[in-house]
Amino acid sequence: MAYNLKEVVKRKTRFSAGHRMCAGCGAPPTVRGILSALKEEDNAIITSATGCLEVSSCIYPYTSWKNCSFIHSAFENAGATCSGVETAYRSLKKQGKLNGTKDVKFIAFGGDGGTYDIGLQSLSGAMERGHDMVYVCYDNGAYMNTGTQRSSATPHFADTTTAPAGKVLPGKIQPRKDLTEIMVKHNTAYVAQTALFGNFKDIHEKAEKAIYTEGPCFVSVLSPCPRGWGYPTDMLIEISKLAVDTCFWPLYEVKDGIYTINYKPAKKLPVEEFLKPQKRFKHMFKEGNEWMIKQFQEEVDKKWEYLLTMEKLTHNEN
Amino acid sequence: MIRERLSGNEAVAVAMRQINPDVVPAYPITPSTEVPQYFSSFMANGSVDTEFIPVESEHSAMSACIGASAAGARVMSATSSQGLSLMYEMLYIASGMRLPIVLTCVNRAVSAPINIHNDHSDSMGVRDCGFIQLYCESNQEAYDNLIMAVKIAEKAMLPVMVCFDGFITSHSVENIELLEDDIVKQFVGKYEPEHYLLNPNEFISMGPLDLQNYFFEHRKQLADAMKDSKRIIEEVSEEYAKISKRKYNLIENYRMDDSKIAMVVLNSTAGTAKEVVDKLRDEGIKVGLVKPRTFRPVPVKELVESLKDMKAIAIMDKADSINGFCGPLYSEITSALYSEGLNIPTVNYIYGLGGRDVKTSDIEDVFRSLLKIAKDGKKSQTTYYLGVRE
Ligand SMILES: Cc1ncc(C[n+]2csc(CCOP(=O)(O)OP(=O)(O)O)c2C)c(N)n1
């Protein structure tokens, strides 16, 4: 069925209002964007890693997780916790102990810290073992819950509280870890990178594919953070669009080894357009720091070229 | 009843087969590796319905146990030493979420230096994690306690750790009496949790952020559950005695009736010490032994009742607290005695670390020094390191 935003927003919500995420945070629309791809009749069990999302969505005795069940256990283990839930389902179902249960889908959410860094082993294990689950990383590019410390997902040169830009250091001295690519190499059933873009068609379709593709799937969603990035709260969608239009955050997917770029900007914007509205990159625009922007641009271009090549190569093979 | 000859690990794996848990996540570590190995062979031969999760670490093993148990499955795992240490964070979460996970802990020393042999540093190191801890002298006890653990855990809504000695118990073959499969099946019954993630009739959220206004009450509920688990352990043990003819109490008193001198000791060393008790008794020396079966909950009342008339006590710790004072068993048992107003000369022996052999002659030395303390009415030192080279 063709994507219809009006139809999708009418679906029963699985993540209700009243949570305590900041205004202008990308995580709640990410969660809604993913969960609204669930078929109305399907049940879902959500796992969350510790992080902004978890501590703001489930504060005893309240919960924002509605029309689904939810579990949080710790920071670095959403992959393992979710794999336990999913295995319980398979075991109980096989033994006929789950009478009357609808189809259940298993979706884990983790921030970039809980996914790229401390949770990488647990995620890798869960993907490698082949659990029928979707792991969604809402990537806000730092440990936001503890106050914007750098993670391996933090962009090159970004100013964070543990890699601050100072007189001698240029902010984060390493480029981002390419986790999406690492996930591709896990023989994952489906890997996608998406953002809060346009009319949410991209995130919706990728969520749908991930949820309804059997086996381990990984979806990475750029989830801007107004506090950590330093942009006005009403710029959430705009900043996401700039990330995509500069190709800082390409929208692509990999299934059965085939790379597909889902959006190619008609006019690829220079990275400055994405960097400029954000306080975390402010120092890059100071006189004498032009090399930072240049290097950032080169890195973005390199990844974009890589994706174009992979798309061409893998499509040609068929 | 079936007579068999099995190692401790085999006995536990057989118990797991008979229990037929829904999910077993596990990771290999000496000396507990055999448990998931034997169990996997049962799976390979189709004698269990269990789904095994070959996790990539013990942290993930306990995390997967938590996920599966929260989902509504009956869950078991096994580990030792570094594996238990790596689980540390998740052990507290398992109990805090009130999940009845049953974990076999084959006791082994904790690094550094690395050592694969037996002492109790691993389970003692996590003694405050909210797991019930059952300690086992023999293969038979390991088998029996594991079966009882399932029922205790589910009734108390607390995870249970069944601890026995690496190699000494885990790898030694002993005569054992097994129950028939269907008797075990009947005994453990079906697991029917009240709330669980896969319940088609309700949606629940588990593992919330719990702030100043609720956290304390939830921790108190956990403390109450541990306290109340004494009653549950006794009830389940009573029930188990009916099917097995083996009755377990919270502590075992060995020849304590007219004794004035006692040794308190856990696990397999109790077997060695019983020999010595018999020998001394043959010589007309009235000594006895107290073997706690539960260390969590601490069987305070039972310990005080058994020890209150002693003239001298030795408390044996196969783990050191590295606190410049004494081992964990000593500190808790003497505090139990003191709380009851008893001031009995009590000494502490740290012994057998890293699998150092404990001989009957070592134990006899301890009893003989207790005789002197009883006679003098005082001790000259509190803590000794039994048989260590200075
Ligand atoms: C083992 C462990 N280490 C550290 C923490 C502290 N901690 C909680 S949330 C968090 C940051 C989470 O960052 P991320 O995963 O990027 O999610 P975000 O908060 O940005 O949404 C940290 C460091 C923890 N809870 N557990």
Side-chain angles (χ1 to χ4, degrees), chain A residues 39-56:
Chain A
K39 290 181 195 151
E40 292 272 276
E41 64 272 21
D42 284 349
N43 199 352
I45 298 177
I46 312 302
T47 304
S48 174
T50 312
C52 285
L53 175 65
E54 184 272 328
V55 302
S56 309

PDB file of all heavy atoms in Angstrom, chain A residues 39-56:
ATOM      1  N   LYS A  39       1.571  -3.053  12.172  1.00  0.00           N
ATOM      2  CA  LYS A  39       0.177  -3.268  11.789  1.00  0.00           C
ATOM      3  C   LYS A  39      -0.685  -3.146  13.030  1.00  0.00           C
ATOM      4  O   LYS A  39      -0.292  -3.609  14.112  1.00  0.00           O
ATOM      5  CB  LYS A  39       0.010  -4.670  11.200  1.00  0.00           C
ATOM      6  CG  LYS A  39       0.662  -4.847   9.854  1.00  0.00           C
ATOM      7  CD  LYS A  39       0.400  -6.269   9.353  1.00  0.00           C
ATOM      8  CE  LYS A  39       1.326  -6.599   8.201  1.00  0.00           C
ATOM      9  NZ  LYS A  39       1.621  -8.037   8.124  1.00  0.00           N
ATOM     10  N   GLU A  40      -1.846  -2.561  12.861  1.00  0.00           N
ATOM     11  CA  GLU A  40      -2.750  -2.326  13.985  1.00  0.00           C
ATOM     12  C   GLU A  40      -2.961  -3.590  14.818  1.00  0.00           C
ATOM     13  O   GLU A  40      -3.019  -3.547  16.040  1.00  0.00           O
ATOM     14  CB  GLU A  40      -4.118  -1.861  13.472  1.00  0.00           C
ATOM     15  CG  GLU A  40      -4.097  -0.493  12.839  1.00  0.00           C
ATOM     16  CD  GLU A  40      -4.319   0.629  13.835  1.00  0.00           C
ATOM     17  OE1 GLU A  40      -5.476   0.938  14.135  1.00  0.00           O
ATOM     18  OE2 GLU A  40      -3.304   1.166  14.310  1.00  0.00           O
ATOM     19  N   GLU A  41      -3.075  -4.729  14.128  1.00  0.00           N
ATOM     20  CA  GLU A  41      -3.447  -5.956  14.826  1.00  0.00           C
ATOM     21  C   GLU A  41      -2.261  -6.618  15.536  1.00  0.00           C
ATOM     22  O   GLU A  41      -2.449  -7.528  16.331  1.00  0.00           O
ATOM     23  CB  GLU A  41      -4.104  -6.947  13.855  1.00  0.00           C
ATOM     24  CG  GLU A  41      -3.200  -7.468  12.730  1.00  0.00           C
ATOM     25  CD  GLU A  41      -3.208  -6.577  11.486  1.00  0.00           C
ATOM     26  OE1 GLU A  41      -3.561  -5.386  11.594  1.00  0.00           O
ATOM     27  OE2 GLU A  41      -2.841  -7.094  10.403  1.00  0.00           O
ATOM     28  N   ASP A  42      -1.058  -6.143  15.257  1.00  0.00           N
ATOM     29  CA  ASP A  42       0.114  -6.794  15.853  1.00  0.00           C
ATOM     30  C   ASP A  42       0.455  -6.223  17.222  1.00  0.00           C
ATOM     31  O   ASP A  42       0.250  -5.042  17.489  1.00  0.00           O
ATOM     32  CB  ASP A  42       1.329  -6.658  14.930  1.00  0.00           C
ATOM     33  CG  ASP A  42       1.241  -7.601  13.744  1.00  0.00           C
ATOM     34  OD1 ASP A  42       0.355  -8.489  13.762  1.00  0.00           O
ATOM     35  OD2 ASP A  42       2.042  -7.449  12.805  1.00  0.00           O
ATOM     36  N   ASN A  43       0.975  -7.098  18.039  1.00  0.00           N
ATOM     37  CA  ASN A  43       1.439  -6.687  19.354  1.00  0.00           C
ATOM     38  C   ASN A  43       2.939  -6.396  19.252  1.00  0.00           C
ATOM     39  O   ASN A  43       3.606  -6.876  18.332  1.00  0.00           O
ATOM     40  CB  ASN A  43       1.178  -7.827  20.341  1.00  0.00           C
ATOM     41  CG  ASN A  43       1.186  -7.334  21.762  1.00  0.00           C
ATOM     42  OD1 ASN A  43       1.526  -6.182  22.031  1.00  0.00           O
ATOM     43  ND2 ASN A  43       0.810  -8.206  22.680  1.00  0.00           N
ATOM     44  N   ALA A  44       3.458  -5.617  20.177  1.00  0.00           N
ATOM     45  CA  ALA A  44       4.896  -5.337  20.149  1.00  0.00           C
ATOM     46  C   ALA A  44       5.433  -5.272  21.565  1.00  0.00           C
ATOM     47  O   ALA A  44       4.730  -4.835  22.478  1.00  0.00           O
ATOM     48  CB  ALA A  44       5.169  -4.027  19.435  1.00  0.00           C
ATOM     49  N   ILE A  45       6.657  -5.747  21.728  1.00  0.00           N
ATOM     50  CA  ILE A  45       7.348  -5.561  23.004  1.00  0.00           C
ATOM     51  C   ILE A  45       8.592  -4.732  22.715  1.00  0.00           C
ATOM     52  O   ILE A  45       9.410  -5.080  21.868  1.00  0.00           O
ATOM     53  CB  ILE A  45       7.691  -6.899  23.670  1.00  0.00           C
ATOM     54  CG1 ILE A  45       6.384  -7.654  23.985  1.00  0.00           C
ATOM     55  CG2 ILE A  45       8.491  -6.662  24.953  1.00  0.00           C
ATOM     56  CD1 ILE A  45       6.570  -9.023  24.572  1.00  0.00           C
ATOM     57  N   ILE A  46       8.666  -3.618  23.417  1.00  0.00           N
ATOM     58  CA  ILE A  46       9.730  -2.655  23.180  1.00  0.00           C
ATOM     59  C   ILE A  46      10.776  -2.782  24.281  1.00  0.00           C
ATOM     60  O   ILE A  46      10.431  -2.880  25.456  1.00  0.00           O
ATOM     61  CB  ILE A  46       9.166  -1.211  23.226  1.00  0.00           C
ATOM     62  CG1 ILE A  46       7.890  -1.079  22.384  1.00  0.00           C
ATOM     63  CG2 ILE A  46      10.238  -0.204  22.828  1.00  0.00           C
ATOM     64  CD1 ILE A  46       8.027  -1.426  20.932  1.00  0.00           C
ATOM     65  N   THR A  47      12.033  -2.792  23.890  1.00  0.00           N
ATOM     66  CA  THR A  47      13.122  -2.742  24.865  1.00  0.00           C
ATOM     67  C   THR A  47      13.819  -1.397  24.700  1.00  0.00           C
ATOM     68  O   THR A  47      13.970  -0.929  23.577  1.00  0.00           O
ATOM     69  CB  THR A  47      14.152  -3.854  24.585  1.00  0.00           C
ATOM     70  OG1 THR A  47      13.474  -5.112  24.578  1.00  0.00           O
ATOM     71  CG2 THR A  47      15.242  -3.881  25.650  1.00  0.00           C
ATOM     72  N   SER A  48      14.219  -0.805  25.805  1.00  0.00           N
ATOM     73  CA  SER A  48      15.002   0.425  25.675  1.00  0.00           C
ATOM     74  C   SER A  48      16.262   0.333  26.513  1.00  0.00           C
ATOM     75  O   SER A  48      16.257  -0.213  27.617  1.00  0.00           O
ATOM     76  CB  SER A  48      14.182   1.638  26.100  1.00  0.00           C
ATOM     77  OG  SER A  48      15.007   2.795  26.084  1.00  0.00           O
ATOM     78  N   ALA A  49      17.330   0.883  25.975  1.00  0.00           N
ATOM     79  CA  ALA A  49      18.556   1.061  26.751  1.00  0.00           C
ATOM     80  C   ALA A  49      18.365   2.260  27.672  1.00  0.00           C
ATOM     81  O   ALA A  49      17.516   3.116  27.416  1.00  0.00           O
ATOM     82  CB  ALA A  49      19.720   1.318  25.805  1.00  0.00           C
ATOM     83  N   THR A  50      19.149   2.352  28.727  1.00  0.00           N
ATOM     84  CA  THR A  50      19.140   3.555  29.549  1.00  0.00           C
ATOM     85  C   THR A  50      19.583   4.733  28.671  1.00  0.00           C
ATOM     86  O   THR A  50      20.423   4.571  27.798  1.00  0.00           O
ATOM     87  CB  THR A  50      20.130   3.413  30.728  1.00  0.00           C
ATOM     88  OG1 THR A  50      19.909   2.156  31.361  1.00  0.00           O
ATOM     89  CG2 THR A  50      19.927   4.523  31.742  1.00  0.00           C
ATOM     90  N   GLY A  51      18.997   5.874  28.916  1.00  0.00           N
ATOM     91  CA  GLY A  51      19.331   7.050  28.118  1.00  0.00           C
ATOM     92  C   GLY A  51      18.165   8.017  28.214  1.00  0.00           C
ATOM     93  O   GLY A  51      17.194   7.762  28.919  1.00  0.00           O
ATOM     94  N   CYS A  52      18.268   9.114  27.484  1.00  0.00           N
ATOM     95  CA  CYS A  52      17.210  10.133  27.541  1.00  0.00           C
ATOM     96  C   CYS A  52      15.826   9.529  27.328  1.00  0.00           C
ATOM     97  O   CYS A  52      14.893   9.811  28.072  1.00  0.00           O
ATOM     98  CB  CYS A  52      17.435  11.173  26.453  1.00  0.00           C
ATOM     99  SG  CYS A  52      18.785  12.296  26.833  1.00  0.00           S
ATOM    100  N   LEU A  53      15.714   8.697  26.297  1.00  0.00           N
ATOM    101  CA  LEU A  53      14.394   8.160  25.942  1.00  0.00           C
ATOM    102  C   LEU A  53      13.789   7.388  27.105  1.00  0.00           C
ATOM    103  O   LEU A  53      12.635   7.582  27.466  1.00  0.00           O
ATOM    104  CB  LEU A  53      14.521   7.249  24.714  1.00  0.00           C
ATOM    105  CG  LEU A  53      13.239   6.518  24.304  1.00  0.00           C
ATOM    106  CD1 LEU A  53      12.170   7.495  23.846  1.00  0.00           C
ATOM    107  CD2 LEU A  53      13.522   5.500  23.204  1.00  0.00           C
ATOM    108  N   GLU A  54      14.599   6.528  27.696  1.00  0.00           N
ATOM    109  CA  GLU A  54      14.064   5.668  28.753  1.00  0.00           C
ATOM    110  C   GLU A  54      13.715   6.464  30.003  1.00  0.00           C
ATOM    111  O   GLU A  54      12.629   6.301  30.569  1.00  0.00           O
ATOM    112  CB  GLU A  54      15.077   4.557  29.069  1.00  0.00           C
ATOM    113  CG  GLU A  54      14.579   3.558  30.082  1.00  0.00           C
ATOM    114  CD  GLU A  54      14.883   3.979  31.503  1.00  0.00           C
ATOM    115  OE1 GLU A  54      15.918   4.638  31.742  1.00  0.00           O
ATOM    116  OE2 GLU A  54      14.071   3.673  32.398  1.00  0.00           O
ATOM    117  N   VAL A  55      14.617   7.332  30.429  1.00  0.00           N
ATOM    118  CA  VAL A  55      14.352   8.032  31.692  1.00  0.00           C
ATOM    119  C   VAL A  55      13.253   9.085  31.544  1.00  0.00           C
ATOM    120  O   VAL A  55      12.765   9.603  32.544  1.00  0.00           O
ATOM    121  CB  VAL A  55      15.626   8.689  32.296  1.00  0.00           C
ATOM    122  CG1 VAL A  55      16.705   7.651  32.530  1.00  0.00           C
ATOM    123  CG2 VAL A  55      16.154   9.817  31.423  1.00  0.00           C
ATOM    124  N   SER A  56      12.873   9.394  30.311  1.00  0.00           N
ATOM    125  CA  SER A  56      11.816  10.395  30.130  1.00  0.00           C
ATOM    126  C   SER A  56      10.482   9.784  29.738  1.00  0.00           C
ATOM    127  O   SER A  56       9.474  10.476  29.686  1.00  0.00           O
ATOM    128  CB  SER A  56      12.212  11.394  29.040  1.00  0.00           C
ATOM    129  OG  SER A  56      13.487  11.907  29.290  1.00  0.00           O
TER     130      SER A  56
END
